[in-house]
Amino acid sequence: MSEQHKVYKPKAISGFPEWLPEYRAVELAWLDKIRAVFESYGFCNIETPSVEEIDALSAKAGETEKEIYTLTRLQADDGESKEARLALHFDLTVPMARYVAQHFGQLVFPFKRYQMQKSWRGERPQKGRYREFYQCDIDVVNIDELPIHFDAELPAVLFEAYQALGIPPVEIHISNRKILIGYLQGLGVADTAPLTRALDKLDKIGADGVLKVLADEGVSADVAQKALAFVQIKTPDSSFADKVRALGVQNELMEQGITELQFVTDNLKHLHGDKNAGGGMVANLGIIRGLDYYTGTVLEARFKENATHWPKGAPSLSIGGGGRYDDLAGSFINQKLPGVGLSIGLTRLFGLLMDQGKIAAGSKSPADVLVVLPDEARRAEASDTARTLRSRGFKVEMYHRDAKIKNQMAYAEKKGIAHVWFPPFKDGQPHEVKNMTTGEQKPADAAVWTP
RNA sequence: GCGGUCGUAGCUCAGCGGUAGAGCGCUUGGUUGUGGUCCAAGAUGUCGCGGGUUCAAACCCCGUCGAUCGCCCCA
């Protein structure tokens, strides 16, 4: 090796987070907890490839299209097109739609699946926004018609998942697109898109900001005021309906949406139980969501703003969301497949809490026990001891070389391994185990020992 | 894609014109089989990269790359 070899200075790649072992351990535990909640409702798991054909992704991409990472080989084979055919998926909904269409004949409907994988988007990274991130999705897809039952079940699953993580209180904000669209139609608005885009920013730019944007868009002051009054409606129960009707607009689609949202809120009353104080569900007509394939229920999860749990001024970013779509797989198969689904932005959630210092580091090692190597001649005995403990379900690391005992102990200490096992140093001596927390050390038998 | 800020030891940063420092971390030692504390010694940097100004640049100027915060948009 040359003394002056050139080193490639390691650096973080923006938007592609990675954690130290003690934090990755927490992230892994989260994935397990979320998975357990999903499965407790009978959702099955699938995993789809990281890549899809660009044509498949583009079918529903819309604005997202420019953020797609395409995949090409550095060295294309002769005759192989230089044009990319494959791309990394930017969410899990499109792959799921393709999957359902492709395996249509072999799936049982309503198809309830969960999927926890990374997705990629080539956006400018910033707080709470990454280019590579985990999403934990659940969706229910059915043929022709999907019962409203699921619109209420999914938010409940979502809420339970957040609870399982032991994070600050989360609120699930729910609305229904039909109410807003019907309301705007009732106001005589023909093209609703520009309005919804502006109204969606209420939380970010405030009421005055929204009015200003609407004025710039050429919306009349009367319509703007009425639209604003609508998106400011927020109730912890189904009483939102009276408030909507009090605004004086009559519309059939709107009434249909109200009925649906009432069903959902009525069936989520249990989220307000005492043990959930501080979090829960709220009917929030300001929830709109940008994706245009949502047609009914839309929902978003956010941390509840609360001085004791969440510092003032912290971002009230969405940490999960979803909704109902009439037909997502329509571009893949000649079947009507309505669905309702939602996604937990795990990396965003985890990253935000990391920034706030609210993730308590886990252990640097999963090991329960470090078996000391007294000296080279006793390696076999140490090895047998480790094996015995493992066979009993303990996670056991054996020290890797004949080093001073203080070094072996310091190693256990640094890795946070709770017990150090001492095989005999001389024939006839008993095994001993030391509890690194209490400092207590006593004779033990690997075949029967318990911490 | 567009704007603001910032790039000095593994990490957090000080130094702001005379050729590099602290704290933490790391390595070794404080004797015979035992960690966390303490003490002692030690290793570590083309001061992001390229050019310019100057007798002299980590420091001033220009460019570039990277990071970061915000806009658009979204989990």
Side-chain angles (χ1 to χ4, degrees):
Chain A
M1 277 276 274
S2 160
E3 287 286 323
Q4 301 188 328
H5 68 284
K6 184 92 178 172
V7 299
Y8 175 82
K9 197 172 181 179
K11 57 197 173 211
I13 301 174
S14 176
F16 291 77
E18 59 185 7
W19 318 115
L20 290 171
E22 55 269 38
Y23 291 104
R24 169 59 178 169
V26 177
E27 189 181 41
L28 261 185
W30 281 24
L31 284 164
D32 286 345
K33 287 172 182 170
I34 292 169
R35 176 183 165 190
V37 171
F38 288 173
E39 291 194 349
S40 78
Y41 279 81
F43 287 78
C44 65
N45 182 251
I46 64 168
E47 178 162 288
T48 59
S50 300
V51 294
E52 294 284 340
E53 292 196 5
I54 291 175
D55 290 345
L57 291 177
S58 301
K60 279 289 175 186
E63 270 294 296
T64 321
E65 190 156 12
K66 60 188 177 195
E67 298 158 3
I68 295 176
Y69 281 111
T70 62
L71 203 71
T72 52
R73 287 177 53 194
L74 211 49
Q75 212 160 1
D77 290 334
D78 289 343
E80 195 175 318
S81 168
K82 287 200 171 69
E83 196 96 330
R85 183 175 68 95
L86 303 176
L88 295 168
H89 57 236
F90 54 84
D91 71 8
L92 298 176
T93 307
V94 174
M96 186 266 312
R98 193 225 81 226
Y99 181 97
V100 169
Q102 189 161 334
H103 303 284
F104 182 74
Q106 292 134 286
L107 300 177
V108 179
F109 290 89
F111 180 57
K112 302 171 71 172
R113 84 89 178 77
Y114 76 95
Q115 207 168 339
M116 306 197 297
Q117 292 178 235
K118 282 182 169 174
S119 295
W120 295 265
R121 285 183 204 174
E123 294 178 288
R124 254 288 158 274
Q126 53 186 271
K127 190 170 287 303
R129 184 204 282 172
Y130 299 91
R131 298 210 256 211
E132 176 178 69
F133 52 95
Y134 275 112
Q135 284 187 302
C136 305
D137 277 34
I138 45 174
D139 285 82
V140 185
V141 177
N142 200 24
I143 303 165
D144 293 331
E145 204 170 315
L146 181 72
I148 187 80
H149 161 81
F150 291 110
D151 294 58
E153 181 171 273
L154 261 66
V157 179
L158 183 64
F159 188 76
E160 265 189 55
Y162 287 122
Q163 274 201 306
L165 301 181
I167 55 176
V170 171
E171 271 183 342
I172 315 285
H173 297 250
I174 310 179
S175 185
N176 190 301
R177 275 266 177 94
K178 289 176 186 173
I179 309 179
L180 173 68
I181 301 301
Y183 179 79
L184 291 178
Q185 285 172 356
L187 283 176
V189 175
D191 181 13
T192 55
L195 266 90
T196 58
R197 211 179 311 122
L199 294 170
D200 199 22
K201 292 180 186 159
L202 175 61
D203 285 327
K204 200 166 192 174
I205 60 179
D208 293 341
V210 170
L211 287 177
K212 187 174 183 308
V213 173
L214 289 176
D216 292 345
E217 295 265 0
V219 176
S220 76
D222 180 49
V223 169
Q225 278 295 350
K226 289 202 153 149
L228 182 63
F230 176 90
V231 294
Q232 286 176 318
I233 294 173
K234 208 188 273 193
T235 65
D237 49 38
S238 58
S239 62
F240 70 89
D242 298 333
K243 297 196 174 191
V244 173
R245 294 189 183 113
L247 295 173
V249 173
Q250 291 188 351
N251 178 278
E252 196 183 327
L253 184 64
M254 183 184 95
E255 284 301 328
Q256 197 185 328
I258 288 175
T259 305
E260 289 181 10
L261 185 55
Q262 271 184 320
F263 177 89
V264 171
T265 54
D266 285 345
N267 279 277
L268 289 176
K269 280 177 183 159
H270 66 283
L271 299 190
H272 290 303
D274 281 346
K275 71 184 174 115
N276 300 325
M281 174 274 300
V282 54
N284 179 350
L285 300 188
I287 296 298
I288 296 168
R289 299 185 65 73
L291 295 172
D292 50 9
Y293 55 68
Y294 291 125
T295 52
T297 300
V298 281
L299 61 101
E300 225 166 76
R302 298 175 193 166
F303 284 112
K304 188 182 172 87
E305 293 278 356
N306 180 323
T308 59
H309 293 94
W310 194 246
K312 235 183 159 181
S316 62
L317 288 167
S318 163
I319 52 171
R324 172 181 273 258
Y325 35 88
D326 275 344
D327 184 19
L328 194 67
S331 45
F332 296 110
I333 191 172
N334 193 19
Q335 286 277 347
K336 193 186 173 207
L337 297 172
V340 55
L342 51 85
S343 174
I344 298 176
L346 184 74
T347 301
R348 163 176 285 186
L349 179 60
F350 193 78
L352 283 175
L353 290 170
M354 279 282 279
D355 290 346
Q356 300 280 332
K358 290 190 185 300
I359 302 287
S363 179
K364 291 179 182 179
S365 164
D368 306 307
V369 180
L370 177 78
V371 174
V372 160
L373 179 61
D375 59 64
E376 204 44 60
R378 293 178 186 273
R379 178 179 286 270
E381 191 170 8
S383 192
D384 284 347
T385 305
R387 238 186 331 272
T388 301
L389 289 167
R390 278 187 210 110
S391 74
R392 296 184 50 224
F394 294 107
K395 296 165 193 155
V396 183
E397 177 168 356
M398 185 178 138
Y399 199 74
H400 47 275
R401 71 186 176 96
D402 177 2
K404 288 190 174 179
I405 301 308
K406 68 180 297 185
N407 289 336
Q408 301 198 34
M409 303 219 34
Y411 178 79
E413 167 69 24
K414 275 189 286 191
K415 289 189 83 169
I417 300 174
H419 302 277
V420 173
W421 192 282
F422 297 94
F425 285 72
K426 291 180 185 136
D427 291 335
Q429 282 186 334
H431 289 249
E432 291 186 0
V433 63
K434 176 165 187 159
N435 180 320
M436 293 295 276
T437 313
T438 63
E440 186 190 9
Q441 182 168 336
K442 55 187 176 187
D445 178 352
V448 296
W449 171 78
T450 49

